[in-house]
Amino acid sequence: MQPGKTQTLKISEKNNSGWMLESETGETAFMSKVFIREEKEIGDEVEVFVYQDDHKLKATTEIPLAEVGEFAVMSCVQSLPTGAFMDWGIIKDLFIPYKQQKTKIIEGKRYLVYLYVDDELELITGTTKFKRNPQYEDVPFRKGDKVELIMMNESELGWNVVINKKYIGLVYTSDVYKKLYPLSEEEGYIKTIREDGKIDVSLQPEGFENIDEFRQKILNKLDENFGLLHLSDKSSPEEIKAELQMSKKNFKKAIGGLYKDKIVDLSNDKIRLL
């Protein structure tokens, strides 16, 4: 049985308080009746999240914000000198020892937290201390894959981001085309998996196969501005970014396609909807 993970267990006992669930290895976890969503019989399987309460294994059908080995944004529900308790979406709050806090956690505020099993405490624990640009030996991504991002912090190179709750990567400043905020969630695309194991991410897809999204954004902006947009292929990247939140490269691809399809007319300083 893996504490901090969602898993399928069998019902081995039932009583008025709840169910005792058992793994293939014979380990057990108790699930209170408040989490029972439908009636089942002894021997039936149920998918649950296993957590610890006073060093005892318990199970819930609640869905946590993150599992062991993942990141999530959590709110602090109580801050003490010894550590902080975070709301991670289940009945039991997550504890972050004081020594695992990058800065002192304040009650009511939100933080990016990584979950792991503390070998010393033998407990599922959180930390706000982690490497900003780690190297990975193996990642389940390919160039162009669409991913979910959590914005971490802005650096000299760009934005550090969490990718699909498990990996840390970087969005370079040159690939940022809109205002971003720490802890916000964004869609991204794998740009490069470097030889040193670091992951570069873009906020926009690359290539003509993804250009429809940019064409539609330009058409929407034209509709908002009565069919006229004061941009052209001679506009600066900064002007295009401010108006459309896209790169000049993707802008030129999109307007080129719209012009070829006779949807817009192009001049030196504007785009006109036909």
Side-chain angles (χ1 to χ4, degrees):
M1 192 176 295
Q2 294 179 291
K5 295 286 187 179
T6 298
Q7 50 212 284
T8 300
L9 304 176
K10 283 187 177 181
I11 303 170
S12 60
E13 296 179 31
K14 297 172 64 177
N15 57 45
N16 292 333
S17 300
W19 297 343
M20 188 63 73
L21 307 177
E22 187 174 317
S23 69
E24 292 182 353
T25 58
E27 295 175 285
T28 58
F30 178 74
M31 184 168 74
S32 170
K33 64 180 181 181
V34 300
F35 303 122
I36 297 174
R37 297 176 178 175
E38 59 180 313
E39 190 56 41
K40 290 181 178 289
E41 301 300 325
I42 291 177
D44 287 348
E45 294 184 335
V46 58
E47 186 174 74
V48 294
F49 177 75
V50 176
Y51 64 99
Q52 296 159 311
D53 190 0
D54 292 330
H55 289 275
K56 295 179 181 178
L57 293 180
K58 293 189 177 181
T60 176
T61 52
E62 297 171 300
I63 300 174
L65 296 177
E67 300 188 358
V68 166
E70 294 182 340
F71 294 86
V73 177
M74 302 181 189
S75 297
C76 175
V77 295
Q78 187 179 24
S79 183
L80 301 171
T82 54
F85 291 92
M86 313 297 288
D87 178 5
W88 62 321
I90 66 171
I91 190 170
K92 178 74 174 178
D93 294 328
L94 177 73
F95 183 65
I96 301 181
Y98 181 76
K99 66 179 181 179
Q100 288 298 332
Q101 300 175 26
K102 184 180 179 183
T103 58
K104 181 172 174 55
I105 292 177
I106 299 172
E107 190 171 320
K109 290 197 172 184
R110 298 163 69 240
Y111 298 86
L112 182 64
V113 179
Y114 179 77
L115 273 70
Y116 70 102
V117 176
D118 187 294
D119 293 332
E120 182 180 336
L121 298 175
E122 295 184 344
L123 289 174
I124 301 168
T125 310
T127 181
T128 57
K129 294 180 176 180
F130 25 80
K131 293 181 179 179
R132 294 290 170 173
N133 201 6
Q135 297 172 306
Y136 298 102
E137 293 184 2
D138 186 31
V139 293
F141 304 123
R142 292 186 299 176
K143 182 177 180 179
D145 283 353
K146 188 175 183 178
V147 291
E148 298 299 321
L149 306 177
I150 301 174
M151 310 310 295
M152 295 174 67
N153 67 294
E154 191 172 12
S155 68
E156 293 181 357
L157 295 176
W159 277 84
N160 294 301
V161 296
V162 172
I163 307 167
N164 286 359
K165 299 175 74 171
K166 290 187 176 182
Y167 303 90
I168 292 177
L170 179 68
V171 178
Y172 282 97
T173 300
S174 58
D175 289 320
V176 175
Y177 307 110
K178 63 179 180 179
K179 184 70 175 176
L180 297 171
Y181 301 91
L183 306 185
S184 66
E185 296 181 1
E186 303 286 344
E187 289 184 348
Y189 301 84
I190 299 298
K191 185 176 182 180
T192 308
I193 299 173
R194 292 191 266 161
E195 291 184 0
D196 61 5
K198 296 180 180 180
I199 308 172
D200 296 339
V201 188
S202 173
L203 296 179
Q204 297 180 334
E206 296 183 349
F208 282 101
E209 66 275 12
N210 298 306
I211 211 65
D212 285 348
E213 177 182 338
F214 304 116
R215 285 167 57 112
Q216 190 58 52
K217 184 175 283 190
I218 292 170
L219 290 174
N220 291 343
K221 185 62 72 171
L222 283 165
D223 285 338
E224 292 173 11
N225 290 278
F226 306 100
L228 194 64
L229 193 56
H230 289 283
L231 290 174
S232 71
D233 59 1
K234 292 182 172 57
S235 299
S236 69
E238 291 74 23
E239 290 174 314
I240 295 167
K241 173 183 174 180
E243 187 70 35
L244 294 168
Q245 293 79 53
M246 68 176 69
S247 68
K248 184 169 183 177
K249 178 181 177 181
N250 286 327
F251 171 74
K252 290 176 69 174
K253 288 180 182 179
I255 62 171
L258 291 170
Y259 178 75
K260 184 178 179 181
D261 292 341
K262 299 182 179 180
I263 298 173
V264 301
D265 182 51
L266 306 178
S267 64
N268 288 334
D269 61 351
K270 59 181 174 289
I271 304 168
R272 184 171 61 86
L273 188 63
L274 296 177

